[in-house]
Amino acid sequence: MAARQHTQFAYRAQKEMGVWDAPPTSAALALDKPASEVRALKYSPNGKYLAWATAAEVRVMDAQTQAVVATIARAGVLDVRFSPKGTYVVTWERFSKPADGEASPNLSIWDAKTGALCGAFVHKSFGEDAIQWTDDEKYCAKLVAGEVRFYAPEALDQPALVLRVDGMSSFSVSPGRSPSVAVFVPERGSKPALLRMYTVGSFTRPTANKTFFKAENVEFYWHRLGTNLLVLTQTDVDNSGRSYYGESSLYFMAAAGNFDCRVVLDREGPIHDVAWNPDEKEFAVVYGYMPAKAALFNHRAEPVLDLGTAPRNLVRFNPHGRVLALAGLGNLAGAIDLWDRKSKSKICTIDAHGASLCAWAPDGRYLMAATLSPRLRVDNGIRIWHYTGAMVFRQPIDELFHVEWRPAPAAQFPQRASLSPVPQGIAVSSPAVSAKPAGAYRPPHARTRPAADSSSPRSLSDMAERKVFGGGRIVPGAAPVGASPDMLAKAAEKKRTRNRKKAKDVASTGEASVPAPAAAVALAEPENEVEALKRVRQLKKKVTQINALAARRDAGEALEANQLSKIESRSQINAEIADLLTKFSSIST
């Protein structure tokens, strides 16, 4: 039996980049690292190559042997991508247009093995959908002036196919052997938004149509076979005013055009994340106001499993579709719930506080969470857990910008019938912990000074007292530190004078001049019917509150002492109401 293939991940930070063999081995690989900052880093979708870009060049490395395959002498590259099979490298530089001329091409396609330039385009911004490929690399597609142009990689000077739809703002090419393309036209005025699907190469008639309102932009979620599509629609403004992030809805469409519907969600609020199960025709949705709800839906958009309610905003299936991760990242606490899809039960909860990225290893056994900069500039690093909840790797990295797994087919890592335990002998890689105690917080301006002792001034008032008495801190009831005998004698004489005056006042009046408590002050008698009416209404309001307290007491609830005393005063208040009504018989309540 062949040895189990190792998984691998790569990262880039402000001052370094690195490649590691992932658990259970967890070892850094030796490679010829660039001396300057790495601006972009990316694996090819098939895991064959790893490319990175510096200010001066782009290098393509064999991910298995760490040998450099090609060097592209292109300065200023800010992003790097691959075609699905790793045959071509796509680079992007910042768009610039001179005042007296045309913009120079900044989106280039290169041969990954030789580094030869295949073609270049002008593209203002770059993202996942800037240039899209069919899985067989027969075509690459780009949105230009409201039309989708499909180019053959060997002839990038002219488009091989063109799809025109009026008002189109975005598109998405499906994975799979028979690729489809979905195009979106946002709603304008009274016209609803439109989504159409075509088979690539046959644009005469769409295979599916769907119209809907409240859709200014969309996100496309294809099933890995390209047979079904989830469309997440969004608006910039929520007309109800309940959400700062606008309104969102989810629609299900079959590429064949034989089924489409709106996914009915039983909780109000935004849709946080959507993910397909790679092994089954089902998908998971996290939706609703926090704490959000998560649920599984089948291929007819019917709910099949409630995953509970919790502060979560991200969902990820492992590559085998067996284990599901529900995470609360970003501004949430960082808890990650792992669910076993087969048994429909929760396996464990992982504490990944501060994490801004969550991704499964290709073998489906390990989950990575990373705290990235500039989202957070402290505690940056990588942590990896086994799906049983055991942490098996931890590596702090200052100013970590990006980390990703090396892709590999899930078929290379067969799953057991039951979840496998943590491999024997694996240990957690922990950072060194300083033996110096943390101590009390000290502001930055005071950290270079020697630590203050207990006699040091701690406030402006403390410092003022020391200027007066010339000594340490003032303790109530004790003589000031550093006070002279003359000062102490004067203070004692003042105290004796105050005591003699107080005793003289008591002897002359027969009682101490202490003000009566507020409760003993009686309310003035109403002088007319208007004041009596106000008083009666106030008293009746108190009776209503007392009756509510009495009902709670009768129901068996334990009340506080002051609440019980209120109940006892009910008869006195009723008597006062009756007395006022008798004196002012003309009052109408």
Side-chain angles (χ1 to χ4, degrees):
M1 182 178 179
R4 182 177 178 273
Q5 182 175 338
H6 289 173
T7 55
Q8 184 186 106
F9 67 86
Y11 70 88
R12 70 178 183 92
Q14 176 70 31
K15 298 180 180 179
E16 63 171 335
M17 67 161 287
V19 180
W20 282 66
D21 268 342
T25 54
S26 301
L29 302 180
L31 69 155
D32 184 15
K33 298 181 181 180
S36 57
E37 177 190 354
V38 175
R39 296 181 170 184
L41 180 143
K42 192 71 177 177
Y43 279 106
S44 62
N46 61 357
K48 185 176 182 181
Y49 298 121
L50 173 66
W52 66 82
T54 63
E57 63 184 12
V58 177
R59 290 189 181 184
V60 181
M61 182 187 80
D62 187 299
Q64 186 66 31
T65 64
Q66 290 78 59
V68 175
V69 176
T71 299
I72 301 171
R74 186 78 167 196
V77 172
L78 297 177
D79 209 338
V80 178
R81 303 292 167 91
F82 280 93
S83 60
K85 294 182 177 180
T87 308
Y88 303 96
V89 180
V90 181
T91 63
W92 180 82
E93 305 111 51
R94 195 180 305 279
F95 173 80
S96 62
K97 183 177 180 180
D100 55 350
E102 295 184 357
S104 57
N106 62 328
L107 177 65
S108 306
I109 299 178
W110 313 79
D111 187 287
K113 290 184 178 180
T114 64
L117 180 64
C118 300
F121 306 94
V122 175
H123 200 85
K124 290 187 177 181
S125 60
F126 194 71
E128 293 286 347
D129 58 349
I131 190 161
Q132 302 180 40
W133 298 79
T134 57
D135 277 359
D136 58 5
E137 295 184 348
K138 184 177 181 180
Y139 298 110
C140 61
K142 186 176 180 295
L143 183 63
V144 180
E147 61 185 25
V148 182
R149 298 179 182 178
F150 291 82
Y151 296 87
E154 62 275 6
L156 294 172
D157 52 339
Q158 291 292 331
L161 303 169
V162 177
L163 171 61
R164 296 183 179 89
V165 177
D166 291 340
M168 175 173 47
S169 64
S170 60
F171 77 103
S172 179
V173 177
S174 76
R177 296 181 178 179
S178 300
S180 300
V181 56
V183 298
F184 171 70
V185 179
E187 78 175 292
R188 285 184 174 85
S190 60
K191 293 184 179 181
L194 171 66
L195 193 140
R196 287 179 178 173
M197 297 172 65
Y198 298 86
T199 300
V200 174
S202 178
F203 301 145
T204 54
R205 291 185 60 185
T207 57
N209 279 288
K210 184 68 178 177
T211 58
F212 31 72
F213 286 97
K214 297 183 179 181
E216 297 175 0
N217 49 74
V218 297
E219 294 179 22
F220 301 94
Y221 296 88
W222 288 98
H223 188 271
R224 66 180 182 88
L225 300 178
T227 53
N228 295 308
L229 173 66
L230 290 170
V231 182
L232 176 59
T233 66
Q234 295 177 324
T235 61
D236 294 332
V237 178
D238 183 358
N239 293 327
S240 66
R242 296 192 62 184
S243 174
Y244 176 80
Y245 300 100
E247 297 180 77
S248 55
S249 299
L250 187 64
Y251 295 88
F252 181 100
M253 296 182 66
N258 55 359
F259 179 76
D260 65 74
C261 70
R262 178 174 179 173
V263 180
V264 179
L265 304 176
D266 59 357
R267 191 179 180 92
E268 291 186 357
I271 298 173
H272 304 284
D273 199 17
V274 180
W276 282 99
N277 186 331
D279 194 47
E280 301 287 344
K281 289 185 178 180
E282 66 179 11
F283 57 94
V285 186
V286 182
Y287 59 96
Y289 296 111
M290 289 294 167
K293 182 177 180 180
L296 280 178
F297 296 81
N298 62 16
H299 66 286
R300 308 300 288 183
E302 300 166 337
V304 294
L305 180 61
D306 187 345
L307 297 172
T309 301
R312 308 288 182 262
N313 58 3
L314 182 140
V315 56
R316 294 287 185 271
F317 282 95
N318 77 339
H320 301 84
R322 173 70 183 272
V323 184
L324 174 70
L326 288 171
L329 306 185
N331 59 347
L332 299 180
I336 304 176
D337 295 330
L338 299 185
W339 286 73
D340 184 353
R341 178 64 186 91
K342 186 175 181 181
S343 64
K344 301 180 181 179
S345 61
K346 186 162 72 171
I347 303 170
C348 63
T349 298
I350 294 171
D351 180 14
H353 61 277
S356 48
L357 176 144
C358 177
W360 284 101
D363 63 0
R365 292 174 172 83
Y366 299 97
L367 180 72
M368 173 193 291
T371 303
L372 304 178
S373 184
R375 176 67 179 80
L376 282 178
R377 297 187 181 275
V378 296
D379 298 330
N380 284 185
I382 302 167
R383 289 168 287 175
I384 300 176
W385 289 266
H386 190 264
Y387 55 29
T388 57
M391 181 184 286
V392 296
F393 180 86
R394 179 169 56 190
Q395 181 67 29
I397 303 172
D398 291 337
E399 293 187 270
L400 176 65
F401 293 141
H402 177 74
V403 59
E404 65 176 88
W405 291 100
R406 177 190 177 189
Q412 293 183 3
F413 309 94
Q415 289 277 82
R416 298 181 179 180
S418 59
L419 296 179
S420 58
V422 180
Q424 294 293 327
I426 196 168
V428 177
S429 176
S430 303
V433 179
S434 173
K436 183 179 179 181
Y441 171 78
R442 301 183 68 194
H445 70 273
R447 290 172 187 170
T448 57
R449 303 176 186 173
D453 57 21
S454 60
S455 64
S456 300
R458 300 188 181 183
S459 65
L460 293 176
S461 61
D462 196 1
M463 294 174 66
E465 289 171 349
R466 291 170 191 235
K467 287 182 180 179
V468 173
F469 296 106
R473 294 189 65 195
I474 300 299
V475 179
V481 178
S484 65
D486 292 340
M487 295 174 65
L488 294 176
K490 289 180 181 179
E493 181 61 29
K494 286 182 179 180
K495 185 175 182 180
R496 285 194 294 269
T497 303
R498 286 195 302 268
N499 291 339
R500 283 196 299 268
K501 184 179 179 181
K502 187 181 296 184
K504 191 175 181 180
D505 291 340
V506 172
S508 62
T509 60
E511 60 180 3
S513 56
V514 179
V521 178
L523 293 174
E525 184 75 17
E527 297 180 355
N528 52 51
E529 291 186 0
V530 175
E531 292 182 1
L533 177 60
K534 292 181 180 179
R535 179 65 179 158
V536 168
R537 289 179 176 173
Q538 291 173 356
L539 294 173
K540 285 190 174 183
K541 186 175 181 181
K542 288 185 178 181
V543 172
T544 302
Q545 296 172 350
I546 292 173
N547 290 337
L549 288 174
R552 290 165 56 187
R553 180 197 61 187
D554 297 339
E557 183 177 344
L559 300 181
E560 300 291 338
N562 61 337
Q563 293 175 323
L564 294 173
S565 63
K566 284 184 180 179
I567 296 175
E568 292 175 358
S569 66
R570 177 166 49 181
S571 58
Q572 182 181 353
I573 296 175
N574 285 328
E576 186 178 350
I577 293 174
D579 185 53
L580 288 172
L581 293 176
T582 302
K583 289 182 180 180
F584 301 92
S585 57
S586 61
I587 293 179
S588 175
T589 59

